[in-house]
Amino acid sequence: MNDKWKPTEEQNTGPISRVSEFFIDELNELQEELDCPDEFIYDFMEAIRNRCSPDSCHAQARKLKRENPDY
């Protein structure tokens, strides 16, 4: 079974939209503060994305914690 999770419309227009706007604002502020090129911000976001990869140690730890709440 390969059902991919999808947010509801309410989630899209609420917390997802809010967090997206927050991230963009913070990244714009960071870029302005560092006076760095777009490429740095892009690579920075890729590093964050990799942290959320299903194969990352962080994702594995979250999965283990969900499956074993007493662990």
Side-chain angles (χ1 to χ4, degrees), residues 23-60:
F23 282 167
I24 290 168
D25 288 346
E26 290 297 309
L27 290 169
N28 286 335
E29 285 183 29
L30 178 64
Q31 188 170 25
E32 190 173 308
E33 184 177 330
L34 299 178
D35 192 26
C36 63
D38 289 345
E39 182 179 10
F40 173 80
I41 298 299
Y42 181 85
D43 292 344
F44 181 69
M45 290 173 28
E46 181 72 18
I48 293 168
R49 181 177 178 261
N50 288 341
R51 181 181 168 118
C52 296
S53 163
D55 298 327
S56 76
C57 61
H58 299 286
Q60 295 297 324

